[in-house]
Amino acid sequence: MEPVDWNELFQRSVSFWEIFVRGSAMYWFLFLIFRFVVRRDVGSVGISDILILVIIADASQNAFSGEYRSVTDGMLLVSVLVGWNYLLNWINFHVPAFRRFSDPSPLLLVSDGRLLRRNMRVEHITEDELLAKMRAQGVRSLRSVKRMYMESDGSFSVIKNTK
């Protein structure tokens, strides 16, 4: 068994600022892709969802890392990504105007008992999926729904008719 080169293992091989810029650029690029292209989840993770995450992670690895070799560089990169995530969550909480940019608005799917198929197509929600989400909330028929929304986090909310 070969000995471990502790110096090479923990000595930074890429400058702090290069890691910061690379990590920040890739974080924002991926944030925008997931915000505007892969907007929501219908409540389950499918094979294609996992596949796209793995492919994106693999494709962005070199752009993130710049071919670093040390554990310290990797920890620094992860710290930059976690830092951006924390900062975005903090801004989202404190700045409502930013929340409108970062979180999609609720999508109306049912209005007065009528399916809004155009909105369903936007998120690729089938009628069967929608009816299953209604049943999960104790709603038996479309006629009893005043409004049904897909929320920004992928959950569904139902406002029942009061008649």
Side-chain angles (χ1 to χ4, degrees):
M1 185 162 68
E2 294 184 36
V4 174
D5 184 350
W6 294 99
N7 189 36
E8 183 179 330
L9 188 63
F10 289 102
Q11 183 177 2
R12 287 202 351 251
S13 58
V14 178
S15 77
F16 167 82
W17 289 111
E18 181 176 342
I19 289 175
F20 181 82
V21 169
R22 284 176 179 276
S24 298
M26 289 305 297
Y27 180 90
W28 282 101
F29 173 72
L30 293 172
F31 173 84
L32 292 171
I33 284 176
F34 284 111
R35 165 58 178 91
F36 293 108
V37 178
V38 186
R39 291 185 56 198
R40 305 172 209 239
D41 186 3
V42 179
S44 63
V45 177
I47 292 173
S48 62
D49 300 321
I50 294 170
L51 180 61
I52 194 70
L53 289 173
V54 170
I55 290 170
I56 287 173
D58 186 52
S60 61
Q61 175 188 359
N62 288 336
F64 271 128
S65 66
E67 304 287 330
Y68 64 77
R69 290 187 177 93
S70 94
V71 172
T72 305
D73 291 340
M75 289 190 274
L76 182 56
L77 176 59
V78 168
S79 298
V80 168
L81 300 175
V82 169
W84 274 116
N85 195 56
Y86 179 83
L87 182 62
L88 276 182
N89 289 335
W90 187 91
I91 292 170
N92 241 2
F93 182 77
H94 292 290
V95 182
F98 184 78
R99 196 173 315 125
R100 285 189 294 275
F101 163 73
S102 66
D103 293 337
S105 58
L107 181 66
L108 184 62
L109 300 171
V110 177
S111 178
D112 296 319
R114 287 187 345 253
L115 295 174
L116 302 178
R117 295 190 185 279
R118 183 179 197 187
N119 289 355
M120 291 169 61
R121 255 191 316 275
V122 167
E123 294 297 331
H124 307 287
I125 299 170
T126 66
E127 185 174 342
D128 290 338
E129 288 173 318
L130 189 89
L131 295 173
K133 295 298 180 180
M134 281 177 26
R135 287 190 302 274
Q137 295 200 20
V139 178
R140 293 184 183 186
S141 74
L142 279 170
R143 289 187 303 270
S144 61
V145 176
K146 182 171 180 72
R147 302 270 188 274
M148 182 173 181
Y149 294 92
M150 182 178 200
E151 303 296 341
S152 63
D153 64 356
S155 65
F156 292 80
S157 58
V158 176
I159 301 168
K160 297 178 185 177
N161 282 323
T162 56
K163 300 177 191 175

